[in-house]
Amino acid sequence: MNIFWGNLVFRFNLQSVLEHRKSLEKNFQKELAVLKRVLLQERRKIRNLQRGKQSFLRELRERQKKSLSASEILLYVRFIEHLSSEIDKQKRKIFEVEKKCNQRREDLIEATKKRKILEVLKERGFEAYRYQMMKREQDFLNEVGIYRFHSHRRFSTRHEESIQERDE
């Protein structure tokens, strides 16, 4: 971004680096958002699996109170074991997604720090630029004032000389 002061322009030498860092930060934000959504979905899946397992355990207990054959019990037990296995897989999946989430969060924090450092450098550079422009402006105004003072003095000296010549 260029900032104009009269006909002079402030240019931040690291502007392209700053834009790149902003872009990285934005990408990390998007990736983190996607990972958070995936994590929510995976947590929903495990809750559904756990509810299903609990439901089948209750159903097995209820049916055992009545008469149930050994083959029916075996079917329930195998399905409950299958659900337990799926729950374990889901826990590992959640762990991996959480790990990716944490890594992306750290990447985002680091990218934000780097961007902010460049923004501080840019702000300092602009302040130095602004100070120089104000100093130039003040120097110019001082020059104009000195010129006007000397011009007025010359005019008034000439004016006094012409008055004295007339009077003589």
Side-chain angles (χ1 to χ4, degrees):
M1 180 167 84
N2 296 329
I3 299 174
F4 296 93
W5 190 294
N7 60 352
L8 300 172
V9 178
F10 170 69
R11 292 185 201 281
F12 181 54
N13 294 336
L14 300 173
Q15 186 65 36
S16 60
V17 176
L18 177 59
E19 295 304 321
H20 175 70
R21 293 215 173 139
K22 284 180 180 179
S23 174
L24 283 176
E25 183 181 6
K26 189 178 268 187
N27 287 339
F28 287 141
Q29 287 172 340
K30 288 176 183 176
E31 290 173 17
L32 182 58
V34 167
L35 285 168
K36 284 180 175 182
R37 281 193 298 275
V38 169
L39 187 58
L40 283 173
Q41 290 171 350
E42 298 303 330
R43 286 180 175 160
R44 269 189 225 115
K45 286 179 188 176
I46 199 169
R47 278 194 304 272
N48 290 338
L49 288 169
Q50 289 167 334
R51 284 186 201 123
K53 180 181 172 183
Q54 292 303 316
S55 173
F56 274 96
L57 283 170
R58 271 193 304 275
E59 190 176 320
L60 176 61
R61 280 189 223 110
E62 290 298 316
R63 297 217 34 211
Q64 279 178 328
K65 289 178 186 174
K66 302 170 184 165
S67 72
L68 222 108
S69 70
S71 63
E72 289 177 307
I73 291 174
L74 187 59
L75 281 173
Y76 272 98
V77 168
R78 283 188 180 156
F79 189 70
I80 291 169
E81 286 174 349
H82 169 74
L83 287 175
S84 293
S85 172
E86 289 299 311
I87 288 169
D88 288 340
K89 284 180 192 175
Q90 197 60 30
K91 283 179 183 177
R92 286 191 296 275
K93 214 179 212 181
I94 288 171
F95 177 76
E96 289 303 315
V97 174
E98 284 175 338
K99 210 161 77 170
K100 287 178 184 176
C101 240
N102 290 334
Q103 181 59 52
R104 208 42 79 220
R105 191 174 291 111
E106 287 175 22
D107 293 342
L108 176 59
I109 289 168
E110 191 62 30
T112 302
K113 285 179 186 177
K114 287 179 178 182
R115 175 191 49 84
K116 285 182 179 182
I117 288 169
L118 281 177
E119 285 179 343
V120 166
L121 287 175
K122 181 178 182 177
E123 185 61 32
R124 286 182 186 165
F126 179 68
E127 289 302 317
Y129 167 81
R130 204 174 101 217
Y131 174 78
Q132 286 298 320
M133 292 301 102
M134 289 172 63
K135 186 173 177 346
R136 282 184 183 183
E137 188 176 329
Q138 188 60 50
D139 290 348
F140 175 75
L141 292 174
N142 288 345
E143 261 185 60
V144 168
I146 290 169
Y147 175 76
R148 291 179 93 193
F149 175 75
H150 287 299
S151 294
H152 178 69
R153 201 165 155 206
R154 269 188 264 144
F155 174 75
S156 94
T157 306
R158 286 185 196 151
H159 183 66
E160 287 175 15
E161 288 173 358
S162 67
I163 290 176
Q164 283 177 352
E165 287 176 6
R166 268 191 287 150
D167 289 341
E168 293 177 358

